[in-house]
């Protein structure tokens, strides 16, 4: 075993290159990864294998893969000290997922709420990959002996099943996998839809409920102006006022002000003025990120090189765990 006092903890996370990433993904995921990179060894993945559990347009999936990597960097993740790679470039993910499939129970996968939601949303394509999605996610995490997994609230159940699979495997074969912990940030963990504030803001929503990280300034301001709010008029955070609470959370995340400060700032001003301020704050912040994003995206050689080098480094780590697993389960090696 390595000396645990010396070993820097490992963080692994990923986003699917499906749909346009939203300010919800930014506030709930990408932005919270930035402070982690100083303290931990971070591995950031573009999880394209997961994306095809829902039908994708091939040319779009290909394009979005590189765009997402450029967006990771634009959001402040440093290309020198972290590993960035694309999941399908490291075969160990699919390989370990197969093995773990044989250590995961049909019953436990049936209980996953995301499977239930997604199979209802895509009832014409309830494929086996959608069902075993959490097993591939477990493989992602366990391959790197990950300590911390920064995820949104909606992924907590997938992390729990990852731990269940790991302890089942370790129970049979000894200590093969490190037990990962979820890392769920306090603020911004869940940004809701602007039009249906009881639901999560989603990449696949095209009805104006989501602000994409690629929206232009006017679109952002207009979408926020049209956000659903309740019948009140005072800017106050309160139980059940989902629309206003959501806008306050967004504003707080982009300005650094807390709820008490926001309430004071908009005292007596009403929802209209508040929404205008939120729109401007979001448009400014997203605009700055887009400038950096465009510069990264224009440099294809750099991005391609980064993902190639990242895949090599990731494969080295992943294959160590995979070899151990193959040996434990009894696969013959000449
Ligand atoms: N399922 C995650 C999501 O949709 C994405 C993901 C795949 C992931 N593999 C992962 C997140 C491993 C963290 C760690 O958000």
């Amino acid at each position: 075993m390595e000396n645990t006092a010396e070993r820097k903890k490992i963080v692994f996370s990923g986003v699917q290159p499906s749909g346009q990433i939203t300010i919800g993904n930014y506030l709930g995921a990408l932005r919270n990864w930035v402070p982690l990179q100083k303290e931990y060894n971070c591995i950031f993945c573009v999880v394209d294998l997961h994306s095809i559990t829902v039908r994708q347009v091939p040319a779009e999936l290909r394009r979005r893969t590189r765009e997402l990597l450029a967006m990771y960097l634009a959001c402040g993740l440093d290309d020198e000290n972290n590993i960035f790679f694309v999941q399908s470039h490291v075969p160990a993910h699919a390989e370990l997922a197969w093995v773990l499939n044989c250590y995961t129970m049909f019953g436990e996968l049936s209980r996953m709420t995301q499977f239930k939601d997604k199979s209802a949303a895509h009832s014409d394509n309830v494929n086996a990959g959608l069902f075993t999605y959490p097993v591939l996610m477990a493989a992602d995490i366990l391959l790197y002996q990950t300590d911390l997994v920064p995820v949104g609230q909606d992924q907590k159940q997938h992390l729990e099943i990852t731990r269940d699979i790991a302890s089942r495997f370790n129970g049979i074969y000894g200590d093969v996998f490190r037990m990962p912990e979820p890392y769920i940030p306090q603020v911004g963990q869940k940004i809701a839809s602007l039009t249906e504030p009881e639901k999560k803001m989603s990449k696949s929503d095209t009805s104006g409920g989501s602000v994409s990280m690629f929206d232009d300034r006017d679109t952002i301001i207009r979408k926020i102006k049209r956000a659903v709010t309740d019948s009140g008029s005072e800017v106050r955070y309160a139980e059940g006022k989902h629309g206003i609470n959501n806008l306050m959370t967004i504003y707080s995340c982009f300005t650094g002000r807390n709820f008490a400060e926001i309430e004071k700032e908009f005292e007596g001003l009403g929802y209209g003025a508040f929404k205008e301020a939120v729109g401007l704050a979001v448009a400014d912040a997203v605009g700055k990120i887009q400038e950096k994003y465009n510069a990264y995206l224009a440099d294809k050689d750099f991005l391609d090189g980064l993902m190639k080098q990242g895949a090599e480094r990731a494969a080295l780590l992943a294959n160590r765990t995979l070899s151990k697993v193959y040996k434990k389960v009894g696969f013959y090696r000449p």
Side-chain angles (χ1 to χ4, degrees), residues 245-316:
N245 293 351
N246 188 41
L247 290 177
M248 286 180 74
T249 303
I250 293 171
Y251 192 63
S252 170
C253 287
F254 279 115
T255 60
R257 279 165 230 169
N258 64 32
F259 291 152
E261 289 166 335
I262 297 170
E263 286 169 0
K264 192 136 183 262
E265 187 181 347
F266 293 97
E267 210 173 330
L269 291 181
Y271 287 169
F274 176 55
K275 284 182 178 178
E276 201 171 298
V278 178
L280 288 174
V282 177
D284 284 348
V286 172
K288 275 193 201 124
I289 294 170
Q290 284 174 357
E291 266 175 44
K292 291 191 201 146
Y293 166 80
N294 287 327
Y296 281 117
L297 193 69
D299 199 344
K300 182 170 183 295
D301 290 345
F302 169 74
L303 291 176
D304 286 356
L306 186 68
M307 62 173 90
K308 265 193 183 159
Q309 179 216 329
E312 280 167 22
R313 291 171 67 195
L316 212 63

Side-chain angles (χ1 to χ4, degrees), residues 12-16 47 50 133 137 140-141 149-151 155 158:
F12 184 99
S13 203
V15 173
Q16 295 188 49
V47 290
H50 278 102
Y133 178 113
M137 181 161 161
D140 297 343
I141 295 166
V149 185
V151 283
Q155 295 296 315
H158 288 164

Side-chain angles (χ1 to χ4, degrees), residues 20 211-224 279 282-284 286-287 290:
Q20 296 280 37
V211 176
S212 151
M213 290 299 286
F214 302 93
D215 280 344
D216 62 42
R217 194 173 174 82
D218 292 344
T219 307
I220 294 175
I221 292 171
R222 179 170 40 82
K223 281 182 178 172
I224 291 182
V282 177
D284 284 348
V286 172
Q290 284 174 357

Side-chain angles (χ1 to χ4, degrees), residues 130-180:
L130 197 61
F131 188 64
T132 61
Y133 178 113
V135 183
L136 179 58
M137 181 161 161
D140 297 343
I141 295 166
L142 298 175
L143 273 175
Y144 299 94
Q145 305 295 337
T146 302
D147 297 274
L148 286 178
V149 185
V151 283
Q153 197 68 39
D154 65 310
Q155 295 296 315
K156 226 180 140 186
Q157 200 183 29
H158 288 164
L159 211 69
E160 275 156 22
I161 197 175
T162 299
R163 291 167 57 91
D164 291 342
I165 297 168
S167 57
R168 182 172 302 133
F169 197 93
N170 286 351
I172 305 172
Y173 302 106
D175 269 347
V176 177
F177 299 124
R178 186 175 288 269
M179 210 47 77

Side-chain angles (χ1 to χ4, degrees), residues 38 126-127 177 205 240:
K38 285 200 203 80
V126 185
N127 61 75
F177 299 124
D205 176 355

Side-chain angles (χ1 to χ4, degrees), residues 49-169:
L49 298 177
H50 278 102
S51 293
I52 62 163
T53 54
V54 169
R55 209 61 82 221
Q56 302 291 330
V57 177
E60 283 178 17
L61 177 60
R62 198 168 292 124
R63 177 174 51 79
R64 284 205 210 98
T65 298
R66 191 152 51 85
E67 289 176 352
L68 185 54
L69 180 63
M71 190 50 91
Y72 279 1
L73 301 171
C75 288
L77 298 173
D78 154 18
D79 61 277
E80 283 180 9
N81 296 312
N82 305 304
I83 295 180
F84 295 93
F85 75 103
V86 177
Q87 192 184 25
S88 67
H89 298 177
V90 179
H93 289 253
E95 293 169 309
L96 182 62
W98 170 255
V99 175
L100 296 182
N101 265 317
C102 304
Y103 296 82
T104 306
M105 299 301 132
F106 186 88
E108 62 190 339
L109 288 175
S110 314
R111 288 192 290 274
M112 294 292 110
T113 53
Q114 186 169 300
F115 171 68
K116 291 185 207 165
D117 293 348
K118 284 202 180 173
S119 43
H122 304 276
S123 56
D124 56 334
N125 183 23
V126 185
N127 61 75
L130 197 61
F131 188 64
T132 61
Y133 178 113
V135 183
L136 179 58
M137 181 161 161
D140 297 343
I141 295 166
L142 298 175
L143 273 175
Y144 299 94
Q145 305 295 337
T146 302
D147 297 274
L148 286 178
V149 185
V151 283
Q153 197 68 39
D154 65 310
Q155 295 296 315
K156 226 180 140 186
Q157 200 183 29
H158 288 164
L159 211 69
E160 275 156 22
I161 197 175
T162 299
R163 291 167 57 91
D164 291 342
I165 297 168
S167 57
R168 182 172 302 133
F169 197 93

